[in-house]
Amino acid sequence: MEKPIRRFVMWYYVLHMHRTVPFLNGCISFVAFITALALVIYMLIAFVTGMFDVGMLMFDTVFLEASKRQDVFNTINGDFLHNVAVLIVLMKAYRILVEYMSFRHIDMKFMLEIGIIACILELLFNSAGYTEHMQMVLASLAFGLVAVYAFKYETFVKSKKDSQKEFEKDHLR
């Protein structure tokens, strides 16, 4: 009596897993798609409003004396470069989401790149907000990530190709 019940439970479990797992994968892909879409919209809004603000500040300096104009430009330069660098991080995050949606795989190369860029950004543009020890931690982390990226680059590329081949093989069946 116990074996037929066990078989029924296994059959029921397998039947529902074949239906449920693809549905859940679709849900996760939908969430990743919505996140990527929101990220792109945010990047566009941040870029347009940032450029507008910089343009308005530059236009306001037309009638200022040269020394005051230079002070404004020095402030704008740091803010502008920081905004561009943050935009690069967001583009890397978008690339990670697209990679996941395409192959259900997160490319470690992109993850290391975003880690390196984020550490260096914080050191360049926000170092005053950190203690000296934290600055050393960020510098060490950036250096360590660069070392891993440099020495394991071929491994990451091979892993990505293998993952894509496996994904394509699974979906051709």
Side-chain angles (χ1 to χ4, degrees):
M1 182 74 176
E2 194 173 296
K3 285 188 178 184
I5 292 174
R6 182 180 288 168
R7 284 185 189 154
F8 175 76
V9 169
M10 288 301 292
W11 172 81
Y12 186 79
Y13 176 75
V14 169
L15 178 68
H16 284 292
M17 286 303 292
H18 287 298
R19 291 182 189 165
T20 307
V21 171
F23 174 74
L24 293 176
N25 284 339
C27 290
I28 297 296
S29 293
F30 179 72
V31 169
F33 172 74
I34 295 300
T35 305
L37 183 64
L39 188 61
V40 167
I41 291 170
Y42 174 77
M43 285 190 301
L44 288 172
I45 291 171
F47 179 73
V48 169
T49 58
M51 291 297 118
F52 181 77
D53 291 344
V54 168
M56 290 304 290
L57 280 172
M58 292 175 106
F59 182 72
D60 289 344
T61 63
V62 170
F63 300 110
L64 293 177
E65 336 176 337
S67 63
K68 290 183 182 178
R69 184 179 315 132
Q70 192 60 42
D71 290 338
V72 171
F73 283 157
N74 287 340
T75 304
I76 292 173
N77 286 341
D79 292 342
F80 180 73
L81 288 175
H82 184 258
N83 287 338
V84 168
V86 168
L87 204 61
I88 291 170
V89 170
L90 291 174
M91 286 188 284
K92 285 290 179 187
Y94 170 77
R95 188 69 195 129
I96 290 168
L97 285 169
V98 168
E99 184 77 18
Y100 177 76
M101 285 188 310
S102 299
F103 301 106
R104 290 191 180 91
H105 169 267
I106 294 177
D107 191 359
M108 286 303 297
K109 187 176 68 143
F110 292 141
M111 294 297 288
L112 284 172
E113 289 171 357
I114 203 169
I116 293 166
I117 293 168
C119 289
I120 292 172
L121 280 179
E122 287 301 306
L123 288 173
L124 286 176
F125 296 110
N126 200 20
S127 61
Y130 293 107
T131 64
E132 201 172 303
H133 295 318
M134 190 61 194
Q135 291 174 0
M136 294 299 284
V137 167
L138 285 171
S140 301
L141 183 60
F143 182 73
L145 291 174
V146 166
V148 169
Y149 188 84
F151 293 117
K152 295 294 183 179
Y153 182 80
E154 291 86 17
T155 305
F156 296 136
V157 171
K158 184 179 181 301
S159 172
K160 178 181 177 180
K161 288 179 183 176
D162 291 346
S163 171
Q164 289 174 349
K165 285 179 186 175
E166 184 177 314
F167 179 82
E168 290 169 359
K169 185 174 74 172
D170 287 345
H171 282 78
L172 288 178
R173 290 183 198 178

